[in-house]
Amino acid sequence: GGKYHVRPELWECEDAAGVSLAQYEVDASAMDGGSLPFQNSNMPDNGFPDMTTLDHLHEAALLHNLRVRFFAGGCPYTYTADIVIAVNPYAWFPQLYTDEMRKEYLVFDKSRLAPHVYATSSIAYSGLQETRQDQAILVSGESGAGKTETVKILMGHLALIASSDDSSHIK
Protein backbone atom coordinates (compact mmCIF):
# COMPACT_ATOMS: atom_id res chain seq x y z
CA GLY A 1 0.00 0.00 0.00
CA GLY A 2 0.92 3.62 -0.43
CA LYS A 3 2.58 3.22 -3.83
CA TYR A 4 0.98 4.93 -6.82
CA HIS A 5 1.75 4.98 -10.51
CA VAL A 6 1.70 8.52 -11.80
CA ARG A 7 1.40 9.57 -15.42
CA PRO A 8 3.28 12.85 -16.03
CA GLU A 9 1.60 15.84 -17.64
CA LEU A 10 2.60 16.74 -21.20
CA TRP A 11 5.10 19.36 -20.02
CA GLU A 12 6.67 16.85 -17.60
CA CYS A 13 7.54 14.21 -20.17
CA GLU A 14 11.31 14.52 -19.64
CA ASP A 15 13.38 14.66 -16.49
CA ALA A 16 16.30 17.07 -15.94
CA ALA A 17 18.65 14.77 -17.87
CA GLY A 18 16.27 14.65 -20.87
CA VAL A 19 15.16 11.08 -20.17
CA SER A 20 11.57 10.38 -21.22
CA LEU A 21 9.19 9.69 -18.35
CA ALA A 22 6.34 7.47 -19.49
CA GLN A 23 5.13 6.69 -15.98
CA TYR A 24 6.74 6.66 -12.57
CA GLU A 25 6.01 5.35 -9.12
CA VAL A 26 5.41 7.51 -6.06
CA ASP A 27 5.69 6.05 -2.57
CA ALA A 28 3.10 8.00 -0.60
CA SER A 29 3.63 5.97 2.57
CA ALA A 30 6.50 8.32 3.44
CA MET A 31 4.25 11.37 2.95
CA ASP A 32 2.24 13.05 5.68
CA GLY A 33 -0.94 10.99 5.98
CA GLY A 34 0.50 8.10 3.97
CA SER A 35 -1.62 8.64 0.86
CA LEU A 36 -2.14 11.02 -2.01
CA PRO A 37 -5.17 13.34 -1.88
CA PHE A 38 -8.16 12.59 -4.08
CA GLN A 39 -7.66 13.77 -7.64
CA ASN A 40 -10.24 15.42 -9.86
CA SER A 41 -11.49 13.15 -12.60
CA ASN A 42 -12.08 14.15 -16.18
CA MET A 43 -9.91 17.25 -16.01
CA PRO A 44 -9.94 19.03 -19.38
CA ASP A 45 -6.59 19.42 -21.14
CA ASN A 46 -6.59 23.13 -20.22
CA GLY A 47 -7.93 22.61 -16.67
CA PHE A 48 -11.16 23.80 -15.10
CA PRO A 49 -11.85 27.52 -15.72
CA ASP A 50 -13.75 27.81 -12.40
CA MET A 51 -12.23 25.94 -9.49
CA THR A 52 -15.58 25.72 -7.69
CA THR A 53 -16.41 22.97 -10.20
CA LEU A 54 -13.59 20.72 -8.95
CA ASP A 55 -14.81 17.46 -7.41
CA HIS A 56 -12.20 17.61 -4.66
CA LEU A 57 -11.19 20.92 -3.09
CA HIS A 58 -7.84 20.77 -1.37
CA GLU A 59 -4.59 22.62 -1.80
CA ALA A 60 -3.02 20.03 -4.11
CA ALA A 61 -6.05 19.97 -6.42
CA LEU A 62 -6.23 23.78 -6.63
CA LEU A 63 -2.51 24.11 -7.35
CA HIS A 64 -2.63 21.31 -9.91
CA ASN A 65 -5.53 22.99 -11.74
CA LEU A 66 -3.69 26.33 -11.79
CA ARG A 67 -0.58 24.55 -13.08
CA VAL A 68 -2.48 22.74 -15.83
CA ARG A 69 -4.15 26.00 -16.95
CA PHE A 70 -0.85 27.90 -16.88
CA PHE A 71 1.11 25.33 -18.90
CA ALA A 72 -1.76 24.80 -21.34
CA GLY A 73 -0.77 28.27 -22.56
CA GLY A 74 -4.29 29.59 -23.00
CA CYS A 75 -4.70 32.11 -20.26
CA PRO A 76 -3.14 32.88 -16.89
CA TYR A 77 -6.57 33.54 -15.33
CA THR A 78 -8.81 31.11 -13.41
CA TYR A 79 -12.02 31.75 -11.49
CA THR A 80 -12.85 30.69 -7.98
CA ALA A 81 -16.49 31.79 -7.99
CA ASP A 82 -16.26 35.61 -8.46
CA ILE A 83 -12.56 35.76 -7.60
CA VAL A 84 -10.07 35.87 -10.46
CA ILE A 85 -6.75 34.18 -9.74
CA ALA A 86 -3.87 35.24 -11.96
CA VAL A 87 -0.63 33.31 -12.37
CA ASN A 88 2.13 35.70 -13.42
CA PRO A 89 3.54 34.33 -16.69
CA TYR A 90 6.47 36.80 -16.60
CA ALA A 91 5.64 37.49 -20.23
CA TRP A 92 3.16 39.74 -21.98
CA PHE A 93 0.32 38.07 -23.91
CA PRO A 94 -0.85 40.86 -26.24
CA GLN A 95 -3.74 38.72 -27.55
CA LEU A 96 -5.33 38.90 -24.08
CA TYR A 97 -5.45 42.70 -23.97
CA THR A 98 -6.68 43.80 -27.39
CA ASP A 99 -9.37 46.44 -27.86
CA GLU A 100 -11.73 43.71 -29.07
CA MET A 101 -11.13 41.71 -25.87
CA ARG A 102 -11.69 44.81 -23.71
CA LYS A 103 -14.99 45.49 -25.48
CA GLU A 104 -16.06 41.85 -25.13
CA TYR A 105 -16.01 42.25 -21.35
CA LEU A 106 -18.11 45.45 -21.35
CA VAL A 107 -21.13 43.26 -20.73
CA PHE A 108 -19.87 40.44 -18.56
CA ASP A 109 -21.45 37.02 -19.04
CA LYS A 110 -19.48 34.47 -16.99
CA SER A 111 -21.01 31.50 -18.79
CA ARG A 112 -19.86 32.82 -22.18
CA LEU A 113 -16.52 34.47 -21.46
CA ALA A 114 -13.24 32.89 -20.35
CA PRO A 115 -11.70 33.89 -17.00
CA HIS A 116 -10.04 37.28 -17.30
CA VAL A 117 -9.09 40.22 -15.11
CA TYR A 118 -11.50 42.29 -17.22
CA ALA A 119 -14.33 40.34 -15.57
CA THR A 120 -13.36 41.90 -12.23
CA SER A 121 -13.52 45.46 -13.53
CA SER A 122 -16.76 44.76 -15.34
CA ILE A 123 -18.41 43.32 -12.21
CA ALA A 124 -17.19 46.24 -10.10
CA TYR A 125 -18.54 48.81 -12.56
CA SER A 126 -21.83 46.95 -12.83
CA GLY A 127 -22.09 46.89 -9.02
CA LEU A 128 -21.43 50.63 -8.91
CA GLN A 129 -24.18 51.29 -11.45
CA GLU A 130 -26.72 48.96 -9.80
CA THR A 131 -26.20 49.87 -6.14
CA ARG A 132 -24.82 53.42 -6.42
CA GLN A 133 -22.37 52.38 -3.70
CA ASP A 134 -18.58 52.41 -3.80
CA GLN A 135 -16.95 49.23 -5.02
CA ALA A 136 -13.52 47.85 -4.15
CA ILE A 137 -11.16 45.55 -6.01
CA LEU A 138 -8.53 43.73 -3.98
CA VAL A 139 -5.32 42.85 -5.82
CA SER A 140 -3.06 40.76 -3.64
CA GLY A 141 0.18 38.87 -4.13
CA GLU A 142 3.82 38.59 -3.26
CA SER A 143 6.51 40.99 -4.40
CA GLY A 144 6.95 40.64 -8.15
CA ALA A 145 3.64 38.83 -8.58
CA GLY A 146 2.31 41.36 -11.09
CA LYS A 147 0.02 43.45 -8.87
CA THR A 148 0.99 46.77 -10.44
CA GLU A 149 0.48 45.45 -13.99
CA THR A 150 -2.86 43.96 -12.98
CA VAL A 151 -4.03 47.27 -11.51
CA LYS A 152 -2.98 49.09 -14.72
CA ILE A 153 -5.01 46.59 -16.76
CA LEU A 154 -8.02 46.96 -14.44
CA MET A 155 -7.88 50.77 -14.47
CA GLY A 156 -7.61 50.86 -18.26
CA HIS A 157 -10.65 48.64 -18.58
CA LEU A 158 -12.63 50.69 -16.03
CA ALA A 159 -11.77 53.85 -17.99
CA LEU A 160 -13.02 52.22 -21.20
CA ILE A 161 -16.27 51.15 -19.54
CA ALA A 162 -16.88 54.57 -17.99
CA SER A 163 -16.16 56.43 -21.24
CA SER A 164 -18.17 54.09 -23.43
CA ASP A 165 -21.00 55.59 -25.44
CA ASP A 166 -22.61 52.16 -25.41
CA SER A 167 -24.91 52.06 -22.38
CA SER A 168 -25.79 48.37 -22.84
CA HIS A 169 -23.29 47.45 -20.10
CA ILE A 170 -25.34 49.47 -17.62
CA LYS A 171 -28.15 47.33 -16.27
Side-chain angles (χ1 to χ4, degrees), residues 3-111:
K3 292 191 178 185
Y4 299 89
H5 292 282
V6 179
R7 188 191 72 208
E9 299 293 339
L10 293 175
W11 60 86
E12 299 174 310
C13 289
E14 291 183 354
D15 67 7
V19 177
S20 178
L21 299 173
Q23 190 173 19
Y24 54 94
E25 188 175 87
V26 174
D27 185 2
S29 61
M31 295 178 182
D32 188 26
S35 65
L36 293 174
F38 288 113
Q39 299 301 308
N40 292 290
S41 60
N42 302 320
M43 180 174 278
D45 289 340
N46 60 347
F48 290 100
D50 188 339
M51 292 201 289
T52 60
T53 61
L54 294 171
D55 296 333
H56 302 287
L57 292 173
H58 49 77
E59 184 179 7
L62 298 176
L63 292 173
H64 180 68
N65 189 61
L66 290 172
R67 186 171 195 238
V68 167
R69 290 187 54 74
F70 179 81
F71 283 108
C75 185
Y77 302 113
T78 304
Y79 291 127
T80 298
D82 289 335
I83 298 169
V84 177
I85 297 175
V87 175
N88 188 344
Y90 296 99
W92 186 251
F93 292 132
Q95 71 277 12
L96 293 178
Y97 308 104
T98 64
D99 287 340
E100 293 78 29
M101 183 74 77
R102 292 170 83 179
K103 290 174 185 172
E104 226 180 310
Y105 283 83
L106 283 176
V107 180
F108 177 63
D109 179 1
K110 188 173 181 178
S111 64

Side-chain angles (χ1 to χ4, degrees), residues 148-163:
T148 303
E149 288 303 316
T150 299
V151 170
K152 287 181 199 175
I153 294 165
L154 285 165
M155 295 303 290
H157 192 240
L158 282 169
L160 174 75
I161 296 170
S163 67

